[in-house]
Amino acid sequence: MVTAKIRGLFFAVGLCFLRRERRRAFLPLLVRGRNCLLVLCCLVLTDTFQPANASQPRIVNIYNFVRNSDYRVPNSEDVLFEATRQQIELIKQFNLPATWALQYDALINPRYQKLLKEQLTSRDEIAAWWEIPRPLAEKAGLKSRGQHDWDSTANVGFSPGYSPPERRKLVDVYMADFKAVFGSYPRTAGSWFIDEVTLDYMAKRYGVIASCNCKDQVGTDGYTLWGGYWNQAYYPSRLNSYMPAQTKAAQIDVPVFRMLGSDPIYQYGNSPGMFTLEPIYPDAGGSADWVAWFMNNLIHQPSLAFAYAQAGQENSFGWKAMKTGLTLQVALLAGQAKAGEIQVMTLAQAGQWFRRHYSVTPPTSVVYLNDWKHQNRKTVWYDSRFYRINFLWEHGAFFIRDLHRFDENVVAITHDKALTTTSLAYGTLPVMDGCLWSGTKPAGIWPVLLLPDGETSPLLPDGPPVVKELNATKLSIRQPLRGGGTFSIVCGETDVTFTGVDGQEKPLPWAWDMVGGAQQKSAVQTVSANYIAYKYAGANYQLRLSPDTGFCEQLSNGAIRLHPDSSGKLVLILGGI
């Protein structure tokens, strides 16, 4: 753990930062109705799913955020209003609860006020969507810097673009007008990103109990959130709302849920394509096969504390673009809810549940052991309040694709001053980053067999892994090995234990090779026998080995080798340092 408060984990992603504007570029085409018709097929599942623990809920939020206008869309006010009206009509047919999050320009529009008051039911939640349109800035006495009534530029449309006193003024104006319209304050507030000053103020002054932010991504629309709690929800640090807190004293007691339902195999970093539960993407949330694959794994695979997905769609895409995908999703969710497989909740209900069951962020997992592309990839994510780790199986091998540590002492660069750049980027503490550290060779932590002649060969799987929950916080992965033997992984809240044995249960001569190229070389400061010291974006941190369970070795090719002890066991310490 970093012993002093460190400012400035607000990283530039260099060449990996791609202002692809994928969502923006895609949007007008969809609004004009050029999307292809989807053929709804029956999903044939050939993999065997493990039964989930019934005491651990599978929670789904149908979350639709509502803007009044969008400069990217012709005739946007009518297009956006009609999208919201149709969404309400669809979801009412299935008697499901939903959250309707209002941007300020929609909040003050009498058309939306009338629609929501007349058409929503007691099942629904009306919430706040926290982007900053011109009418809100001006009513708070601030000069609007945007080129449009709503401007998506990071330092205009999002709270970090304003000083802390300005952020509080914006909250006060929104809350007063929301209460004037609906008679009470919103219980939740969501955004692609809300800073910690705003979130803490919303909670303490106005009683906000839950929030949501964008999925992890690199560069999309000018917004980078990378290295955080992968899915489900976490309590954020009071100094950095993207960073999970390790202690109750240092956290904001508002769980932040991760949005958009990312494909845990393919939606990684700046990977090509968009594979999320958003219904406007025909190969993902708009595909009956993909949605069934996504939900079946979410329901049946181990999740530890709970499993979670956010469905729904922002109204900027228009009804024509989302109709097919959203309709198939809502029908599927209604059937799964009726069967008792999932619980469809509002964001406020999910936040209440989380706060009631967990005083600090719990460990969770995301496990997908079959591949909708039929390319034999598999993945396991494990998150705790101390770290995240991701294992990937592909091309007949397995490795650690991602390992990031969390530290509540790291202060966001925008904590006490306004963002001045037109893009935003927040991150955590990388030990291995398969996205930003990959170059001509993929970055990762690779298992190898140590041969008698000093050479190595890959430690290869033989068949699928077996993934099980050992208790409320520990996840076990047992991978049979080619040639006999087993590689065992146990992810715990503060550590990860690896053990390799041969077919006779004798220790294997194995190791992890950490390969991260120039980025790893830049971040690593010291390689000692039982720890690696890092410095990244001004933050100092370590990867430690448990005493007497292995050692670290700096290789001449720039890689770092982690050796187990004589019993074939290696323990990484990732919390409480």
Side-chain angles (χ1 to χ4, degrees), residues 19 24 132 145 151-162 193 221-223 419-425:
R19 192 182 176 103
R24 297 187 191 182
I132 316 300
R145 303 188 303 273
D151 194 314
S152 60
T153 306
N155 65 333
V156 175
F158 295 89
S159 61
Y162 302 83
F193 187 76
D221 291 344
Y223 319 139
L419 174 69
T420 58
T421 58
T422 57
S423 59
L424 62 80

Side-chain angles (χ1 to χ4, degrees), residues 402-424:
D402 189 286
L403 176 56
H404 281 74
R405 290 199 58 209
F406 305 144
D407 189 341
E408 64 193 16
N409 294 299
V410 173
V411 183
I413 197 170
T414 54
H415 179 67
D416 55 10
K417 61 184 178 182
L419 174 69
T420 58
T421 58
T422 57
S423 59
L424 62 80

Side-chain angles (χ1 to χ4, degrees), residues 449 481-487 499-510 567:
L449 277 174
L481 298 175
R482 191 176 301 177
T486 304
F487 193 74
T499 308
V501 296
D502 63 19
Q504 286 74 46
E505 296 294 319
K506 294 181 179 180
L508 272 176
W510 71 276
S567 70

